[in-house]
Amino acid sequence: MSELSAALPSLPLLPVEVCDGIHAAVAFEVLRDLYGLQAATIAAWCAIEARTQGDDVRYRFWFGVFCDLRKASPVFSLMLPSASKIGLPLSKDDDFQTAENTRGDLDRLLGSRDIGVSIIREIRSIIEN
């Protein structure tokens, strides 16, 4: 057992249904709609972040969302190379443009600090509109 895993206490896997005023079912739907097959990856990163910060409630919330997303879509997705990397011209209404924008948003999100806070903020803005 590594020192890090020994330092982190084991957590009960009782799911948390509401975190930061957001219900797990709402988080599930929004992540699935926004990120498709990458939704489980986003939820996993939120859980990892919460776990490393020692936030047990957020960890169990995001871990539960992750588990539900994996059950709903147990297929690992493959990110296609961007159209510009394979030498295809892009037009404004090209599907590749949309895929590239989504990939950029996902890369930016995964590279940010406080990914869980960013996702909660995004969910709230969708709910309010």
Side-chain angles (χ1 to χ4, degrees), residues 19-35:
C19 181
D20 293 325
I22 304 294
H23 195 279
V26 172
F28 173 92
E29 292 294 327
V30 170
L31 286 177
R32 189 183 62 186
D33 290 348
L34 288 178
Y35 298 105

Side-chain angles (χ1 to χ4, degrees), residues 88-99:
L88 296 174
L90 294 176
S91 66
K92 285 187 177 183
D93 56 354
D94 197 339
D95 287 340
F96 287 115
Q97 185 74 31
T98 304

Side-chain angles (χ1 to χ4, degrees), residues 5 29 35 45-46 52 61 63 66 73 75 79 82 98 102 104 106 118-119 121 123 125:
S5 63
E29 292 294 327
Y35 298 105
W45 276 107
C46 291
T52 59
F61 175 81
F63 184 73
F66 164 75
S73 179
V75 178
M79 294 294 289
S82 69
T98 304
T102 302
L106 184 63
S118 299
I119 292 295
R121 191 177 313 124
I123 292 170
S125 72

Side-chain angles (χ1 to χ4, degrees), residues 9-116:
S10 64
L11 297 173
L13 294 178
L14 299 173
V16 172
E17 292 296 319
V18 178
C19 181
D20 293 325
I22 304 294
H23 195 279
V26 172
F28 173 92
E29 292 294 327
V30 170
L31 286 177
R32 189 183 62 186
D33 290 348
L34 288 178
Y35 298 105
L37 293 174
Q38 298 298 319
T41 302
I42 298 295
W45 276 107
C46 291
I48 290 167
E49 178 184 80
R51 176 76 165 153
T52 59
Q53 293 173 350
D55 190 335
D56 297 346
V57 172
R58 281 191 180 171
Y59 166 73
R60 291 182 308 173
F61 175 81
W62 287 115
F63 184 73
V65 172
F66 164 75
C67 290
D68 291 343
L69 286 163
R70 292 299 294 149
K71 287 178 201 169
S73 179
V75 178
F76 289 101
S77 64
L78 298 173
M79 294 294 289
L80 296 173
S82 69
S84 61
K85 288 182 182 176
I86 57 176
L88 296 174
L90 294 176
S91 66
K92 285 187 177 183
D93 56 354
D94 197 339
D95 287 340
F96 287 115
Q97 185 74 31
T98 304
E100 181 64 23
N101 290 341
T102 302
R103 179 188 207 135
D105 291 343
L106 184 63
D107 290 343
R108 186 172 44 255
L109 182 63
L110 291 176
S112 70
R113 298 179 121 222
D114 296 325
I115 186 173

